[in-house]
Amino acid sequence: QVQLVESGGGLVQPGGSLRVSCEVSGSIFMIYGMGWYRQAPGKQRELVAAISAAGSPNYADSVKGRFAISRDNAKDTVNLQMNSLKPEDTAVYYCNAQVQTTTGRNLEVWGQGTLVTVSS
């Protein structure tokens, strides 16, 4: 059993900052890529940022220069620092990870989502 638990969402004013975090727990042998996706009302889920096992990040064009993804392999966590937030960043943010379990299974796992609302 592998679980992803997100934290840190909430309400923030335009131009503000927010940090969301995600912890991976369970019978994990290795964590490969990790990432953050978001889904706004009436829209499809989209990739926001991803980070490889080696720590190489990539970002959606809409968040480049404003968001920063990082991971702590010792704590099995991935973080997303969001700066200069805009109302269009409002969405449910989902953590994603590709893991190998201790029994050798390769899984793609999702968190339950955390709501980020950017509004004055």
Side-chain angles (χ1 to χ4, degrees):
Q1 186 82 3
V2 179
Q3 289 185 319
L4 274 60
V5 178
E6 298 120 334
S7 61
L11 173 65
V12 62
Q13 292 187 341
S17 297
L18 203 60
R19 180 181 174 93
V20 290
S21 297
C22 171
E23 181 177 5
V24 185
S25 63
S27 303
I28 304 161
F29 176 72
M30 185 175 294
I31 303 174
Y32 299 106
M34 305 179 82
W36 288 94
Y37 290 71
R38 68 186 180 188
Q39 187 166 19
K43 294 189 176 182
Q44 289 188 328
R45 190 174 298 189
E46 63 176 0
L47 175 67
V48 176
I51 187 165
S52 69
S56 297
N58 68 83
Y59 300 95
D61 287 343
S62 59
V63 305
K64 280 181 182 176
R66 300 188 297 123
F67 290 13
I69 189 170
S70 61
R71 63 188 288 169
D72 184 335
N73 293 329
K75 297 181 179 179
D76 292 339
T77 58
V78 60
N79 306 299
L80 185 68
Q81 177 67 41
M82 302 180 286
N83 300 322
S84 302
L85 283 159
K86 305 175 181 179
E88 51 263 43
D89 294 317
T90 295
V92 177
Y93 283 70
Y94 296 92
C95 179
N96 172 277
Q98 291 87 48
V99 306
Q100 185 176 85
T101 68
T102 54
T103 59
R105 295 178 64 197
N106 290 317
L107 302 175
E108 180 175 32
V109 191
W110 292 89
Q112 81 284 358
T114 185
L115 178 62
V116 172
T117 303
V118 185
S119 175
S120 55

